[in-house]
Amino acid sequence: MSAQLPPWDLFETFLAVMEGGSLSAASRTLKTAQPTIRRRIAALEDALQATLFTRATNGLVPTEAAHTTL
């Protein structure tokens, strides 16, 4: 049985966070509420079984797993 890829909207959100560096920036780019962005990132992390970002005072820092996913 092959593993199923997560839905595209999760990857779209991931890319917006990678490019914007924060949930707020991704929220503005995607015209989506910040809690939705947070939920999508959490869902993608669950699906990939990896932590993609760590929190910092100036936004989110991509982990090695995020760079590999990109």
Side-chain angles (χ1 to χ4, degrees):
M1 181 191 258
S2 63
Q4 197 172 26
L5 287 176
W8 167 247
D9 65 327
L10 302 184
F11 286 105
E12 179 183 41
T13 301
F14 166 73
L15 289 173
V17 174
M18 286 291 284
E19 290 173 354
S22 70
L23 298 175
S24 297
S27 176
R28 286 189 299 275
T29 298
L30 297 174
K31 295 177 179 41
T32 304
Q34 188 173 333
T36 301
I37 301 296
R38 183 185 318 275
R39 281 192 301 274
R40 287 181 184 169
I41 292 300
L44 184 59
E45 289 177 328
D46 287 346
L48 299 177
Q49 297 180 353
T51 300
L52 298 173
F53 299 98
T54 57
R55 291 176 104 38
T57 55
N58 58 343
L60 297 177
V61 178
T63 64
E64 188 62 36
H67 290 290
T68 300
T69 301
L70 186 60

